[in-house]
Amino acid sequence: MTGKLDWWRLPAKLWMTLEQIGVTATTLVGHAGLSDELHQDSRTLISTRDGFRLWRSVEHLAADPIVALRMLQSANEHGRDATFLAAYHAATYRDALNNMARFKNYYTPVQIAFRESAGLAYATRFWPTTHDEEPDISVDYSFAEFVGIGRLGTGQHLSPVRIEFRRRGPAIAFYEDYFGCRIRYGAPADLLVLKSADLDRPFLSSDPDLLNVITLGLHATMNTRRAHRSITQQVASEIRHRLGHDTTDIEGIAQALGLSRRTLQRRIEEEGSSFRELISAGKREVAIELLAGKQLKIKEVAAKVGFQDTASFTRAFYQWEGTTPASWRDLRSSAQRPPKQR
């Protein structure tokens, strides 16, 4: 599911942030093979595939294993954007993360999910319109941002329980010092695990009145952006929202979007996709989230993502991930297990 017209704008301050760490806009877009319009005109849109190419070029040009942390520090020095302020002035750490997850969509189509179970909170990231693996720098920046807002808002040096990276290495020693937790490599998915008790902590910077003003502005911006999203993005979001508790047939989704079935089908095809592909991608993403949570049996996960039996779910999952749901979960569990003491 690559090549969808999931266009989005890069944050305006990105280029200043990159200049600060020694990566010029001209050099970057040239290395990534992208148009100079990307940094010359703030209205220029970029696809997720090209966005990932851009991030990988930053990794290459910076040649620094902790470039994501340097970028975050530089971005903070260039002023706070509205998404950050909506988190910073929230009532609690949990509210702050929920605000960040909700408003990050202003810049990108990324979907951030927080699920809690047995005293732990699991943060995952998904890009609905691509199966391409998210660049390391993008994941690292996001996880550092989530942890950083908790430390800043509570005034305490909070640390995650653990972090899991899909990449196999090399391990970055400084990361364990920075995050203050153990880090696993070679996991099935990128995962940030926090204590639910920490999410209950109040923010010293909480300001309900200011937060209301900020969120009203962000909602207005998001509504404008939503009106200009590609149809595949709108359908993908609707599918994820419905899975597990509502029908995902094309008639129902077309009605929710105010379109006829024929018009919806035609517009999806014009963007190089099909309704079947979007359904499959949505089921894959939700299945991985639920399997990562561990609280549901595989047959329950199968039912929640719309499969009538475990066998059909297993066949579909094998096509998506090259392994069975049980093996995927076992691999993830072994990645979480601490090494044996010698």
Side-chain angles (χ1 to χ4, degrees):
M1 262 214 23
T2 57
K4 300 295 177 294
L5 301 182
D6 54 332
W7 304 101
W8 39 279
R9 286 186 177 87
L10 293 168
K13 70 176 183 179
L14 172 65
W15 308 109
M16 292 187 295
T17 298
L18 292 171
E19 291 274 357
Q20 189 75 20
I21 64 169
V23 177
T24 65
T26 302
T27 301
L28 177 59
V29 296
H31 185 275
L34 302 175
S35 170
D36 284 334
E37 290 183 358
L38 197 59
H39 68 90
Q40 293 172 347
D41 186 349
S42 61
R43 297 169 299 177
T44 303
L45 302 178
I46 189 171
S47 68
T48 296
R49 172 172 285 181
D50 287 346
F52 283 7
R53 287 169 60 190
L54 194 76
W55 285 124
R56 292 190 182 99
S57 289
V58 173
E59 291 176 335
H60 178 84
L61 294 170
D64 181 352
I66 62 169
V67 62
L69 301 185
R70 290 176 55 209
M71 284 185 63
L72 183 60
Q73 180 182 9
S74 177
N76 290 339
E77 291 172 356
H78 282 101
R80 315 292 194 176
D81 60 24
T83 301
F84 171 87
L85 294 175
Y88 183 63
H89 294 298
T92 66
Y93 190 9
R94 178 180 287 100
D95 292 340
L97 291 178
N98 285 332
N99 284 350
M100 291 185 83
R102 192 168 65 182
F103 295 122
K104 279 291 177 184
N105 194 246
Y106 169 60
Y107 293 121
T108 70
V110 67
Q111 294 182 358
I112 302 168
F114 292 99
R115 299 183 184 277
E116 295 188 57
S117 175
L120 297 177
Y122 302 85
T124 55
R125 293 162 55 82
F126 292 96
W127 297 79
T129 54
T130 183
H131 284 174
D132 292 349
E133 191 168 325
E134 184 176 8
D136 296 346
I137 184 176
S138 178
V139 176
D140 298 357
Y141 186 99
S142 179
F143 285 179
E145 193 173 34
F146 292 160
V147 173
I149 191 66
R151 291 172 175 174
L152 190 63
T154 63
Q156 301 180 48
H157 194 77
L158 304 178
S159 295
V161 175
R162 68 177 181 274
I163 292 175
E164 298 178 14
F165 287 134
R166 186 192 296 262
R167 76 198 76 153
R168 296 197 175 277
I172 303 173
F174 182 77
Y175 271 12
E176 293 206 355
D177 293 334
Y178 177 83
F179 286 108
C181 68
R182 60 188 176 92
I183 297 176
R184 298 292 181 186
Y185 294 86
D190 296 307
L191 186 70
L192 172 67
V193 185
L194 303 165
K195 297 175 185 176
S196 292
D198 282 345
L199 301 191
D200 292 328
R201 294 179 185 273
F203 265 25
L204 305 177
S205 50
S206 175
D207 187 331
D209 293 334
L210 182 55
L211 179 61
N212 185 56
V213 173
I214 294 167
T215 54
L216 284 175
L218 282 168
H219 278 304
T221 302
M222 287 182 67
N223 288 336
T224 300
R225 182 186 186 277
R226 189 175 291 117
H228 293 88
R229 285 193 307 177
S230 70
I231 198 67
T232 52
Q233 284 181 298
Q234 296 180 55
V235 172
S237 295
E238 190 67 25
I239 288 170
R240 280 184 57 90
H241 176 71
R242 287 167 170 256
L243 277 173
H245 62 83
D246 203 348
T247 59
T248 54
D249 59 283
I250 192 168
E251 287 84 1
I253 290 178
Q255 184 177 12
L257 297 178
L259 301 170
S260 69
R261 171 185 175 140
R262 181 174 296 181
T263 299
L264 177 59
Q265 207 157 13
R266 175 178 55 79
R267 290 183 60 184
I268 291 174
E269 290 171 356
E270 286 174 351
E271 294 185 2
S273 186
S274 70
F275 187 74
R276 183 187 296 273
E277 284 182 326
L278 295 175
I279 285 286
S280 178
K283 288 183 175 181
R284 169 185 173 269
E285 292 155 11
V286 174
I288 287 175
E289 288 181 26
L290 295 177
L291 286 169
K294 290 186 178 181
Q295 62 266 39
L296 297 180
K297 296 179 180 178
I298 290 176
K299 67 178 181 179
E300 294 173 321
V301 174
K304 282 188 173 293
V305 293
F307 288 90
Q308 294 183 346
D309 55 70
T310 304
S312 58
F313 171 57
T314 298
R315 286 194 297 272
F317 194 87
Y318 192 90
Q319 290 181 335
W320 296 331
E321 300 297 316
T323 189
T324 65
S327 296
W328 187 96
R329 183 172 263 177
D330 287 344
L331 177 61
R332 183 176 185 281
S333 296
S334 64
Q336 294 175 358
R337 198 174 298 125
K340 294 180 179 180
Q341 299 295 323
R342 295 185 177 182

